[in-house]
Structure formats: structure tokens, C-alpha cells
Amino acid sequence: MPTSTPPPRRTTIYDIARTAGVSHTTVSRYLRFDGQGVRDSIKERISAAIDELGYRPNLAARAMRTRRTGRLAILLPAGQAVGAIRMLAGATENAHTHGYQIEGVTLDGPAATLAARVTELAESGMFEGVLSLTPLLDSPPGTAEPTTPVVVAAEYDEELRAIGELADATPIAEIIEGLAAAGHRTFLHVAGDRSYPTVRAREQVYLDTVQRLGLTSAGVVGGDWLPETSHQAILDLPADTDVTAVVAANDLLAAAAVHAAHERGWDIPGDMVVTGWDNNPLGAWLSPTLTTVEVDYEELGRRAMQRLIALMRGETPPEGSGAVATVLWRESTGRATDARQALQAP
């Protein structure tokens, strides 16, 4: 049976680097700047290696010299994070507005190696800038900084836990302040998995706000993302509980709390109010509809891309303006009823 001969492998800058005895970043710099900034002795070795290997620059290599490719790379966290996909959408929209095309890149492996791999990506000559939505550890001492602009706008860690602006829990304070103004005095917080920075931040803001306003906390329960935990926490409340407001760490825990309250014959929001976080689409279809917090991931992506474009242009990166998280008040919250207030009277 006849076999076909595979085409010869294209010579790369890594082949040139090995032959010339220099780093691939030095070869990249030589090609990009026509040898400027590279010592004469090294330029001669690189030039000789190019001749020896018969290297012919392709379109990407020519773009390396001009630094104009019209393309930007966005580094996404490995795995599946809905928020990261929405941030990608916002960043892509902003990039297209400025005439750039986007390529999403996912790099897996230990965080300690990502910085070097991002430098390699930046120096490939394929992109004018790189935006990382995942954190990068500092490069080892002596490692050359990439000449291509790189902006790290990490909103997720290597385990897909939200950090950065996504860990801002100030809407919890707004929720408690609003409920306090509606007459609620005793609160319960249903926490999520405390390995998440967002969970710890929401719990701390809850505790600080209750104390600042002179309210009463019946405690913090939970510590995982299981709806069964939230459900049981409400079932465990005494029949004459003073709790009229439950602040849950996400919408799933909030929905379970509403379900348990109904099982006990308590009306939502007449006897108890419940809030969540994440604006899960199902929350708008529950009965009652769920008060929650909407995070504008697209705006975070647009802001991150704007910082990268400013850096590429040599401009001062703009500061973020306005909150990215908004409280959506819905039917699961309302005023404390006279009957429930009577239970809390001294």
C-alpha cells in the first residue's frame, strides 16, 4: 500500500536558538527589531544559524518585526467558569471596537510554570498583546520580561475560585442595610465553602454590617455549597425564632432556604425574607422571585481589555469606574410584618 511522505518540518525560532546557542527570546528580539538591541557577536551567530537552517520567515515572523498583527490573546483559566466566559465576551467586544481580533488560549499545568509559558506566548510574534484572566506567579530571577505587553486581570485562581473584583462583597452590606430599613432586626447567614475567597468575604461583610448597624445575628451556618445544608438550617430554627432575614451565599442555598420555610408553613416574604447571590436565571422564575446580586462579568472583561490596549499605546491605564455588582430586589424580600416584629419586641 503506497505511503505518502510527510512534508518537511518548518524551521522555528527554537531551532535557530539551539543552533546559535542563544535563547529563543533573543532570536525573537533579533527578528522583531532587525537586530537592534542585540550584540554584534550574537547577531552574527543568529544570522549564520538562519542561513544554515534555511529559515524563511512566514507571515507571523514578518509581523514580529513590525509588531502589528491585529491579534490579541486572552488567557483563560483551565476548566469551566461561566463568569470567565462572560468576561471573555466583554473583552472581545472591546477589542473588536478597537479593531483587534481575539484568540482565547487555555494553558493548564502548575501555576509556577504559567508565567514562563505566557512569556513564550507573548514572544511568539503572533499577538500584539496578551490579557490573562488567571493569576501568574512571578517569573524566576533573571528571566527576561516579554517585550509584548501583558496585562494580568486575574479574577479566578488556578482552582477556578473567584478573586479580585469578583470577591468584592459590599453588596451584602447594601442588602442588610435595605432590610434593616424595612424593619428587620435578626439575621441568619448561610455560608458557602470557605475555601473560596468570595465566601469568606461575604461572611465577613455580613458580620461587620450587622455589628455596625446594631442588629442581631442568629449565627452563621453552613460551610459548603450543598442545598441540603441550607434546607436543614432553616428546619432547625425554633418555632418562635426571631430570625426574619436569611442572607445566603448564593442562589442555590437561598432557594433551599425558601423551600424549607414553605415546609414549615412560613410565608416568604411575610414571615421571613431570603436573599441570594449570582442571579441564577431560575431565581426570576421561583415563587416568590428571588432577591439576588448580579455581577457584570462583561464589564470586568471590557475594563481589563481597556487596560491592555492603553498599555499597548503607551497610555496610562484607566481606573475602573462604578460597581460591577448590583442588588436586584425582588419578591423574596419585603418589610418585616407586625407579627414578626412582635416576636422580637423586648
Side-chain angles (χ1 to χ4, degrees), residues 66-99:
T66 63
R67 293 193 289 179
R68 299 290 298 177
T69 68
R71 300 171 66 200
L72 305 174
I74 298 183
L75 179 61
L76 299 168
Q80 296 182 349
V82 174
I85 299 303
R86 291 176 57 187
M87 287 179 64
L88 173 63
T92 299
E93 174 193 320
N94 197 342
H96 288 171
T97 299
H98 289 85

mmCIF file of all heavy atoms in Angstrom, residues 66-99:
data_model
loop_
_atom_site.group_PDB
_atom_site.id
_atom_site.type_symbol
_atom_site.label_atom_id
_atom_site.label_comp_id
_atom_site.label_asym_id
_atom_site.label_seq_id
_atom_site.Cartn_x
_atom_site.Cartn_y
_atom_site.Cartn_z
ATOM 1 N N THR A 66 7.313 44.005 12.610
ATOM 2 C CA THR A 66 6.522 45.231 12.601
ATOM 3 C C THR A 66 5.722 45.417 13.875
ATOM 4 O O THR A 66 5.239 46.510 14.154
ATOM 5 C CB THR A 66 5.537 45.212 11.418
ATOM 6 O OG1 THR A 66 4.621 44.137 11.595
ATOM 7 C CG2 THR A 66 6.270 45.029 10.101
ATOM 8 N N ARG A 67 5.574 44.319 14.641
ATOM 9 C CA ARG A 67 4.780 44.306 15.865
ATOM 10 C C ARG A 67 3.305 44.627 15.592
ATOM 11 O O ARG A 67 2.597 45.085 16.461
ATOM 12 C CB ARG A 67 5.354 45.271 16.905
ATOM 13 C CG ARG A 67 6.704 44.853 17.418
ATOM 14 C CD ARG A 67 7.098 45.632 18.647
ATOM 15 N NE ARG A 67 7.404 47.013 18.340
ATOM 16 C CZ ARG A 67 7.762 47.924 19.237
ATOM 17 N NH1 ARG A 67 7.829 47.590 20.502
ATOM 18 N NH2 ARG A 67 8.024 49.154 18.883
ATOM 19 N N ARG A 68 2.852 44.412 14.362
ATOM 20 C CA ARG A 68 1.461 44.660 14.024
ATOM 21 C C ARG A 68 0.855 43.382 13.445
ATOM 22 O O ARG A 68 1.151 42.981 12.334
ATOM 23 C CB ARG A 68 1.343 45.787 12.997
ATOM 24 C CG ARG A 68 1.882 47.130 13.466
ATOM 25 C CD ARG A 68 1.010 47.731 14.531
ATOM 26 N NE ARG A 68 -0.340 48.006 14.042
ATOM 27 C CZ ARG A 68 -1.298 48.482 14.811
ATOM 28 N NH1 ARG A 68 -1.081 48.697 16.110
ATOM 29 N NH2 ARG A 68 -2.492 48.710 14.312
ATOM 30 N N THR A 69 0.037 42.727 14.239
ATOM 31 C CA THR A 69 -0.652 41.535 13.760
ATOM 32 C C THR A 69 -2.159 41.704 13.789
ATOM 33 O O THR A 69 -2.876 40.936 13.152
ATOM 34 C CB THR A 69 -0.294 40.311 14.633
ATOM 35 O OG1 THR A 69 -0.841 40.484 15.947
ATOM 36 C CG2 THR A 69 1.205 40.108 14.713
ATOM 37 N N GLY A 70 -2.642 42.696 14.544
ATOM 38 C CA GLY A 70 -4.080 42.891 14.678
ATOM 39 C C GLY A 70 -4.737 41.833 15.546
ATOM 40 O O GLY A 70 -5.962 41.716 15.573
ATOM 41 N N ARG A 71 -3.936 41.076 16.280
ATOM 42 C CA ARG A 71 -4.467 39.979 17.095
ATOM 43 C C ARG A 71 -4.014 40.119 18.542
ATOM 44 O O ARG A 71 -2.883 40.515 18.822
ATOM 45 C CB ARG A 71 -3.989 38.628 16.546
ATOM 46 C CG ARG A 71 -4.413 38.351 15.122
ATOM 47 C CD ARG A 71 -3.730 37.118 14.593
ATOM 48 N NE ARG A 71 -4.167 35.919 15.293
ATOM 49 C CZ ARG A 71 -3.483 34.782 15.316
ATOM 50 N NH1 ARG A 71 -2.314 34.698 14.723
ATOM 51 N NH2 ARG A 71 -3.971 33.737 15.947
ATOM 52 N N LEU A 72 -4.912 39.780 19.454
ATOM 53 C CA LEU A 72 -4.615 39.768 20.883
ATOM 54 C C LEU A 72 -4.987 38.400 21.442
ATOM 55 O O LEU A 72 -5.931 37.767 20.970
ATOM 56 C CB LEU A 72 -5.424 40.854 21.612
ATOM 57 C CG LEU A 72 -5.283 42.287 21.081
ATOM 58 C CD1 LEU A 72 -6.246 43.209 21.817
ATOM 59 C CD2 LEU A 72 -3.850 42.776 21.223
ATOM 60 N N ALA A 73 -4.246 37.952 22.440
ATOM 61 C CA ALA A 73 -4.530 36.668 23.090
ATOM 62 C C ALA A 73 -5.134 36.922 24.467
ATOM 63 O O ALA A 73 -4.709 37.835 25.182
ATOM 64 C CB ALA A 73 -3.262 35.832 23.227
ATOM 65 N N ILE A 74 -6.138 36.117 24.816
ATOM 66 C CA ILE A 74 -6.713 36.158 26.155
ATOM 67 C C ILE A 74 -6.508 34.793 26.798
ATOM 68 O O ILE A 74 -6.967 33.779 26.271
ATOM 69 C CB ILE A 74 -8.206 36.501 26.134
ATOM 70 C CG1 ILE A 74 -8.426 37.882 25.531
ATOM 71 C CG2 ILE A 74 -8.784 36.454 27.540
ATOM 72 C CD1 ILE A 74 -9.875 38.335 25.543
ATOM 73 N N LEU A 75 -5.791 34.790 27.907
ATOM 74 C CA LEU A 75 -5.508 33.553 28.624
ATOM 75 C C LEU A 75 -6.624 33.282 29.619
ATOM 76 O O LEU A 75 -6.880 34.081 30.518
ATOM 77 C CB LEU A 75 -4.163 33.657 29.346
ATOM 78 C CG LEU A 75 -3.725 32.447 30.163
ATOM 79 C CD1 LEU A 75 -3.577 31.219 29.279
ATOM 80 C CD2 LEU A 75 -2.420 32.737 30.893
ATOM 81 N N LEU A 76 -7.311 32.159 29.444
ATOM 82 C CA LEU A 76 -8.437 31.792 30.304
ATOM 83 C C LEU A 76 -8.005 30.777 31.348
ATOM 84 O O LEU A 76 -7.081 29.990 31.108
ATOM 85 C CB LEU A 76 -9.561 31.192 29.452
ATOM 86 C CG LEU A 76 -10.149 32.109 28.386
ATOM 87 C CD1 LEU A 76 -11.027 31.308 27.433
ATOM 88 C CD2 LEU A 76 -10.947 33.212 29.032
ATOM 89 N N PRO A 77 -8.669 30.759 32.503
ATOM 90 C CA PRO A 77 -8.375 29.712 33.491
ATOM 91 C C PRO A 77 -8.791 28.356 32.946
ATOM 92 O O PRO A 77 -9.781 28.222 32.227
ATOM 93 C CB PRO A 77 -9.231 30.117 34.700
ATOM 94 C CG PRO A 77 -10.318 30.955 34.137
ATOM 95 C CD PRO A 77 -9.747 31.665 32.951
ATOM 96 N N ALA A 78 -7.995 27.323 33.250
ATOM 97 C CA ALA A 78 -8.329 25.975 32.813
ATOM 98 C C ALA A 78 -9.608 25.517 33.501
ATOM 99 O O ALA A 78 -9.853 25.825 34.657
ATOM 100 C CB ALA A 78 -7.177 25.019 33.130
ATOM 101 N N GLY A 79 -10.450 24.787 32.793
ATOM 102 C CA GLY A 79 -11.703 24.315 33.362
ATOM 103 C C GLY A 79 -12.864 25.122 32.834
ATOM 104 O O GLY A 79 -12.755 25.812 31.812
ATOM 105 N N GLN A 80 -13.972 25.063 33.512
ATOM 106 C CA GLN A 80 -15.181 25.744 33.072
ATOM 107 C C GLN A 80 -15.647 26.720 34.150
ATOM 108 O O GLN A 80 -16.013 26.319 35.245
ATOM 109 C CB GLN A 80 -16.291 24.735 32.778
ATOM 110 C CG GLN A 80 -15.965 23.803 31.625
ATOM 111 C CD GLN A 80 -17.109 22.858 31.338
ATOM 112 O OE1 GLN A 80 -18.050 22.745 32.101
ATOM 113 N NE2 GLN A 80 -17.015 22.154 30.225
ATOM 114 N N ALA A 81 -15.622 27.981 33.807
ATOM 115 C CA ALA A 81 -16.113 29.024 34.702
ATOM 116 C C ALA A 81 -16.998 29.939 33.877
ATOM 117 O O ALA A 81 -16.526 30.616 32.959
ATOM 118 C CB ALA A 81 -14.958 29.811 35.322
ATOM 119 N N VAL A 82 -18.289 29.934 34.180
ATOM 120 C CA VAL A 82 -19.242 30.716 33.394
ATOM 121 C C VAL A 82 -18.862 32.190 33.407
ATOM 122 O O VAL A 82 -18.925 32.882 32.392
ATOM 123 C CB VAL A 82 -20.668 30.522 33.932
ATOM 124 C CG1 VAL A 82 -21.645 31.454 33.214
ATOM 125 C CG2 VAL A 82 -21.099 29.071 33.770
ATOM 126 N N GLY A 83 -18.430 32.680 34.570
ATOM 127 C CA GLY A 83 -18.041 34.082 34.672
ATOM 128 C C GLY A 83 -16.883 34.420 33.751
ATOM 129 O O GLY A 83 -16.851 35.485 33.137
ATOM 130 N N ALA A 84 -15.904 33.509 33.635
ATOM 131 C CA ALA A 84 -14.753 33.757 32.767
ATOM 132 C C ALA A 84 -15.181 33.844 31.312
ATOM 133 O O ALA A 84 -14.660 34.659 30.543
ATOM 134 C CB ALA A 84 -13.715 32.653 32.955
ATOM 135 N N ILE A 85 -16.154 33.016 30.911
ATOM 136 C CA ILE A 85 -16.644 33.066 29.535
ATOM 137 C C ILE A 85 -17.332 34.404 29.275
ATOM 138 O O ILE A 85 -17.184 35.014 28.204
ATOM 139 C CB ILE A 85 -17.613 31.900 29.275
ATOM 140 C CG1 ILE A 85 -16.895 30.564 29.467
ATOM 141 C CG2 ILE A 85 -18.186 31.995 27.875
ATOM 142 C CD1 ILE A 85 -15.675 30.376 28.604
ATOM 143 N N ARG A 86 -18.078 34.882 30.272
ATOM 144 C CA ARG A 86 -18.743 36.178 30.104
ATOM 145 C C ARG A 86 -17.726 37.318 30.088
ATOM 146 O O ARG A 86 -17.887 38.300 29.356
ATOM 147 C CB ARG A 86 -19.772 36.383 31.215
ATOM 148 C CG ARG A 86 -20.972 35.463 31.095
ATOM 149 C CD ARG A 86 -21.919 35.624 32.275
ATOM 150 N NE ARG A 86 -22.373 36.999 32.427
ATOM 151 C CZ ARG A 86 -23.094 37.418 33.466
ATOM 152 N NH1 ARG A 86 -23.432 36.586 34.434
ATOM 153 N NH2 ARG A 86 -23.481 38.677 33.539
ATOM 154 N N MET A 87 -16.645 37.206 30.877
ATOM 155 C CA MET A 87 -15.583 38.207 30.825
ATOM 156 C C MET A 87 -14.920 38.204 29.456
ATOM 157 O O MET A 87 -14.580 39.256 28.907
ATOM 158 C CB MET A 87 -14.559 37.929 31.925
ATOM 159 C CG MET A 87 -15.041 38.252 33.318
ATOM 160 S SD MET A 87 -13.796 37.886 34.577
ATOM 161 C CE MET A 87 -12.510 39.031 34.121
ATOM 162 N N LEU A 88 -14.723 37.010 28.894
ATOM 163 C CA LEU A 88 -14.152 36.894 27.550
ATOM 164 C C LEU A 88 -15.019 37.634 26.540
ATOM 165 O O LEU A 88 -14.508 38.322 25.656
ATOM 166 C CB LEU A 88 -14.015 35.423 27.171
ATOM 167 C CG LEU A 88 -13.586 35.130 25.727
ATOM 168 C CD1 LEU A 88 -12.201 35.691 25.451
ATOM 169 C CD2 LEU A 88 -13.622 33.628 25.451
ATOM 170 N N ALA A 89 -16.348 37.504 26.682
ATOM 171 C CA ALA A 89 -17.260 38.180 25.766
ATOM 172 C C ALA A 89 -17.092 39.696 25.846
ATOM 173 O O ALA A 89 -17.052 40.389 24.817
ATOM 174 C CB ALA A 89 -18.700 37.776 26.067
ATOM 175 N N GLY A 90 -16.996 40.232 27.073
ATOM 176 C CA GLY A 90 -16.825 41.673 27.235
ATOM 177 C C GLY A 90 -15.491 42.158 26.698
ATOM 178 O O GLY A 90 -15.418 43.214 26.046
ATOM 179 N N ALA A 91 -14.427 41.391 26.964
ATOM 180 C CA ALA A 91 -13.100 41.771 26.473
ATOM 181 C C ALA A 91 -13.061 41.726 24.955
ATOM 182 O O ALA A 91 -12.466 42.601 24.302
ATOM 183 C CB ALA A 91 -12.051 40.833 27.068
ATOM 184 N N THR A 92 -13.689 40.703 24.372
ATOM 185 C CA THR A 92 -13.707 40.566 22.911
ATOM 186 C C THR A 92 -14.455 41.728 22.272
ATOM 187 O O THR A 92 -14.025 42.287 21.253
ATOM 188 C CB THR A 92 -14.363 39.232 22.524
ATOM 189 O OG1 THR A 92 -13.604 38.157 23.085
ATOM 190 C CG2 THR A 92 -14.417 39.072 21.010
ATOM 191 N N GLU A 93 -15.577 42.106 22.874
ATOM 192 C CA GLU A 93 -16.351 43.240 22.360
ATOM 193 C C GLU A 93 -15.508 44.503 22.317
ATOM 194 O O GLU A 93 -15.498 45.245 21.321
ATOM 195 C CB GLU A 93 -17.583 43.440 23.231
ATOM 196 C CG GLU A 93 -18.397 44.685 22.893
ATOM 197 C CD GLU A 93 -19.412 45.002 23.980
ATOM 198 O OE1 GLU A 93 -20.020 44.068 24.524
ATOM 199 O OE2 GLU A 93 -19.581 46.194 24.287
ATOM 200 N N ASN A 94 -14.777 44.770 23.399
ATOM 201 C CA ASN A 94 -13.938 45.963 23.466
ATOM 202 C C ASN A 94 -12.814 45.889 22.437
ATOM 203 O O ASN A 94 -12.506 46.880 21.767
ATOM 204 C CB ASN A 94 -13.354 46.117 24.875
ATOM 205 C CG ASN A 94 -12.823 47.513 25.133
ATOM 206 O OD1 ASN A 94 -12.575 48.290 24.224
ATOM 207 N ND2 ASN A 94 -12.646 47.839 26.403
ATOM 208 N N ALA A 95 -12.206 44.708 22.308
ATOM 209 C CA ALA A 95 -11.113 44.547 21.345
ATOM 210 C C ALA A 95 -11.602 44.790 19.916
ATOM 211 O O ALA A 95 -10.936 45.470 19.123
ATOM 212 C CB ALA A 95 -10.523 43.144 21.474
ATOM 213 N N HIS A 96 -12.766 44.240 19.579
ATOM 214 C CA HIS A 96 -13.310 44.433 18.239
ATOM 215 C C HIS A 96 -13.591 45.908 17.970
ATOM 216 O O HIS A 96 -13.395 46.400 16.844
ATOM 217 C CB HIS A 96 -14.586 43.620 18.065
ATOM 218 C CG HIS A 96 -14.336 42.152 17.959
ATOM 219 N ND1 HIS A 96 -15.351 41.210 17.980
ATOM 220 C CD2 HIS A 96 -13.190 41.443 17.832
ATOM 221 C CE1 HIS A 96 -14.827 39.997 17.876
ATOM 222 N NE2 HIS A 96 -13.521 40.116 17.791
ATOM 223 N N THR A 97 -14.044 46.626 19.006
ATOM 224 C CA THR A 97 -14.306 48.058 18.852
ATOM 225 C C THR A 97 -13.043 48.810 18.450
ATOM 226 O O THR A 97 -13.100 49.785 17.698
ATOM 227 C CB THR A 97 -14.862 48.642 20.169
ATOM 228 O OG1 THR A 97 -16.091 47.990 20.489
ATOM 229 C CG2 THR A 97 -15.098 50.134 20.064
ATOM 230 N N HIS A 98 -11.897 48.318 18.929
ATOM 231 C CA HIS A 98 -10.615 48.968 18.623
ATOM 232 C C HIS A 98 -9.913 48.317 17.437
ATOM 233 O O HIS A 98 -8.734 48.606 17.176
ATOM 234 C CB HIS A 98 -9.704 48.924 19.853
ATOM 235 C CG HIS A 98 -10.137 49.834 20.964
ATOM 236 N ND1 HIS A 98 -11.077 49.462 21.907
ATOM 237 C CD2 HIS A 98 -9.791 51.115 21.262
ATOM 238 C CE1 HIS A 98 -11.260 50.464 22.755
ATOM 239 N NE2 HIS A 98 -10.509 51.473 22.383
ATOM 240 N N GLY A 99 -10.600 47.427 16.727
ATOM 241 C CA GLY A 99 -10.037 46.868 15.504
ATOM 242 C C GLY A 99 -9.163 45.652 15.677
ATOM 243 O O GLY A 99 -8.413 45.296 14.746
#
